[in-house]
Amino acid sequence: MMERMLGVDSQVVERLQNGDETALRETIGLYGGVVLGMARRILFEPAMAEEVAQDTFLALWRRPGAFDASRGSLQSFLLGVARNKAIDLVRKEEARSRARDLLMAEVETAHTVENPTDRSEDRREVRDALSQLSEVQREAIVLAYFGGRTYREVAAELNIPEGTAKTRLRDGLIKLKDVLDKSGTAEI
Amino acid sequence: MDRAHEEYKVLVAAYALGAIPPHELAEVAHHVASCATCVEEAKAHSGVIDELALTVDPVPLPVGFADGVLALAKRREPSPGETPEPAGAQVLPFRRPVLSGVVAAAAAAIIGVLGAGFLDARSDLRRTRQVIIALTADHGLALAGAGGSEGHMVPTENGALFAAVGLPEPPAGRTYQLWVLRNDQFLSLGTFGVEEGEAVVRIEDPVEGVDGMAVTVEPEGGSEQPSTDPVMRSA
Ligand SMILES: [Zn+2]
């Protein structure tokens, strides 16, 4: 299935390189919702999140070659671009970012509420994995990933030494990989 | 290198998360790019981080969203190779083939100023690159390559910073190598890898009096002399 997706993504990019507007519309149709979701997750202001989502697809349109199908899916690429753009904004002006309790609240709800329209097994699986981290690991990762905090800011915000912040991020990611690897094999 | 590794290995996760403060970023990126162990760890983290993105709930797009994007796309069609970012990110004309010590000092001073303000205002690889590009307008060297890839080199107090964007991952067992051309001789400035198509390389030695720069794809570990045609070069 991965290979099929890879082929499809490459085809879309080829069409974008030829200036095919329908390909851009299709890509927006497929990934626009999650791209906007990512921007909304990071930015406090909905209008700004919309701008980030627009910019993300504009960037793809202007330089489709920046996407490399061998490195991951088009969805991952677009989410990464959207996150970078949103975090750029957050870092320019702190007021735009979500406060720690809001960021954490979204994670807590995310893994307890079952969304019936949620068609993505992956999404639930990753949320479950996230919920298996220790609370301090989860907090550090969410602050860095969705909050755009640097490790130094994570340390300051959680009132822990910088060395502790570094290792929490590292241990958290390693644990997450571990849990995801296990759940991956369990399902096959 | 082992001492550097001990110092930086605990930062690889923060690096993969984009959580390194900008003034430390070039150093960390430099180590990770040159350390096989850290590259492997960064790759593993990146895979997990990609998965983390999947926890995001989709949000319904506002009506006319796609039309809006297409309208913007048509309003300003960039020439091939132009990057989407606005100010300071266009491919810069190649200004001066020779970087004098005076120019290097001026650029170092500018970096000092930015370090107090702009760079310290927190950012990521992209912003660091933009700073380098902005500085390149007056003091550095611009490189361009196929597929709209760009490179920019700007002298710093003790060496230089090189940033590249739009480079694909090199083929397995290959690496990018950075060269300067001086008196018709190619001198290696070292090898580097890319992260999300972007790279920031810190060059330890002063880069002065060069006639040009180039990036080639070489076997892992680098070559004595370029063994392939440049994928990116100065004009
Ligand atoms: Zn290392």
Side-chain angles (χ1 to χ4, degrees):
Chain A
M1 191 192 105
M2 269 311 287
E3 269 169 30
R4 191 179 61 83
M5 286 305 290
L6 221 137
V8 170
D9 285 351
S10 302
Q11 275 171 26
V12 168
V13 169
E14 231 179 273
R15 288 168 60 202
L16 288 169
Q17 271 164 335
N18 294 325
D20 182 345
E21 290 177 10
T22 318
L24 183 61
R25 278 189 191 278
E26 285 171 17
T27 310
I28 292 172
L30 276 173
Y31 305 121
V34 278
V35 164
L36 182 57
M38 173 62 87
R40 283 287 287 274
R41 193 79 166 65
I42 294 167
L43 290 158
F44 196 68
E45 298 163 37
M48 203 158 276
E50 234 168 80
E51 228 169 273
V52 162
Q54 272 191 342
D55 281 353
T56 301
F57 289 106
L58 266 181
L60 177 71
W61 174 250
R62 290 188 175 151
R63 211 171 57 203
F67 166 67
D68 179 355
S70 69
R71 301 206 63 225
S73 68
L74 183 56
Q75 171 171 273
S76 286
F77 173 77
L78 289 170
L79 287 173
V81 172
R83 177 182 173 248
N84 280 342
K85 286 182 183 294
I87 285 177
D88 261 8
L89 288 176
V90 162
R91 287 179 178 177
K92 266 190 225 157
E93 208 178 297
E94 236 169 297
R96 289 167 175 164
S97 83
R98 289 180 175 270
R100 177 174 142 213
D101 50 349
L102 269 177
L103 284 165
M104 293 315 293
E106 289 217 27
V107 174
E108 309 302 330
T109 5
H111 69 77
T112 49
V113 173
E114 288 282 317
N115 182 349
T117 63
D118 185 354
R119 284 173 300 160
S120 165
E121 267 300 309
D122 290 342
R123 193 172 305 135
R124 190 159 36 238
E125 198 178 303
V126 181
R127 279 176 182 171
D128 285 349
L130 202 55
S131 73
Q132 288 182 48
L133 301 186
S134 74
E135 197 175 333
V136 292
Q137 287 171 343
R138 187 164 57 245
E139 201 166 30
I141 286 180
V142 168
L143 278 178
Y145 187 74
F146 290 113
R149 275 38 158 206
T150 67
Y151 76 86
R152 285 181 193 269
E153 291 165 334
V154 169
E157 205 159 334
L158 300 182
N159 205 13
I160 53 176
E162 284 176 358
T164 310
K166 290 181 205 173
T167 46
R168 266 185 205 173
L169 292 173
R170 183 165 191 258
D171 295 349
L173 285 183
I174 290 170
K175 172 89 187 283
L176 206 51
K177 181 173 187 332
D178 209 43
V179 175
L180 285 169
D181 284 352
K182 272 179 197 146
S183 70
T185 42
E187 263 176 32
I188 289 169
Chain B
M1 129 120 206
D2 276 342
R3 224 190 66 201
H5 177 70
E6 287 310 309
E7 185 183 339
Y8 290 118
K9 70 177 182 189
V10 73
L11 279 171
V12 177
Y15 173 70
L17 280 161
I20 303 288
H23 56 280
E24 294 169 43
L25 186 60
E27 274 175 60
V28 180
H30 180 76
H31 172 75
V32 173
S34 60
C35 173
T37 314
C38 287
V39 165
E40 277 314 304
E41 185 175 329
K43 274 187 191 159
H45 289 321
S46 298
V48 180
I49 291 164
D50 279 353
E51 303 261 327
L52 214 47
L54 297 177
T55 62
V56 164
D57 280 320
V59 171
L61 291 174
V63 179
F65 178 87
D67 292 334
V69 174
L70 275 159
L72 282 168
K74 284 182 196 157
R75 200 164 63 190
R76 188 176 149 276
E77 284 289 348
S79 52
E82 190 179 350
T83 54
E85 285 88 356
Q90 64 269 62
V91 178
L92 296 154
F94 175 64
R95 300 257 183 127
R96 54 182 101 209
V98 176
L99 297 162
S100 69
V102 176
V103 170
I110 294 168
I111 284 188
V113 171
L114 288 171
F118 190 16
L119 281 178
D120 257 11
R122 290 165 304 147
S123 78
D124 59 5
L125 194 59
R126 173 166 288 106
R127 194 143 304 286
T128 310
R129 179 171 67 80
Q130 281 181 347
V131 172
I132 294 169
I133 290 168
L135 290 170
T136 315
D138 288 322
H139 307 293
L141 216 60
L143 290 77
S149 62
E150 301 162 40
H152 301 271
M153 196 273 296
V154 64
T156 60
E157 210 163 353
N158 306 311
L161 274 175
F162 173 78
V165 62
L167 284 175
E169 182 99 331
R174 303 266 147 175
T175 180
Y176 287 111
Q177 192 162 3
L178 186 61
W179 307 89
V180 288
L181 189 64
R182 195 182 278 152
N183 304 326
D184 290 333
Q185 297 272 320
F186 277 108
L187 300 171
S188 172
L189 292 179
T191 60
F192 65 95
V194 294
E195 183 81 21
E196 312 263 300
E198 299 190 336
V200 174
V201 182
R202 196 180 59 172
I203 300 153
E204 311 275 357
D205 299 313
V207 182
E208 288 172 19
V210 305
D211 304 317
M213 283 184 93
V215 172
T216 60
V217 175
E218 300 293 340
E220 211 102 72
S223 302
E224 291 282 315
Q225 286 291 303
S227 67
T228 58
D229 287 335
V231 292
M232 195 188 272
R233 64 197 311 169
S234 56

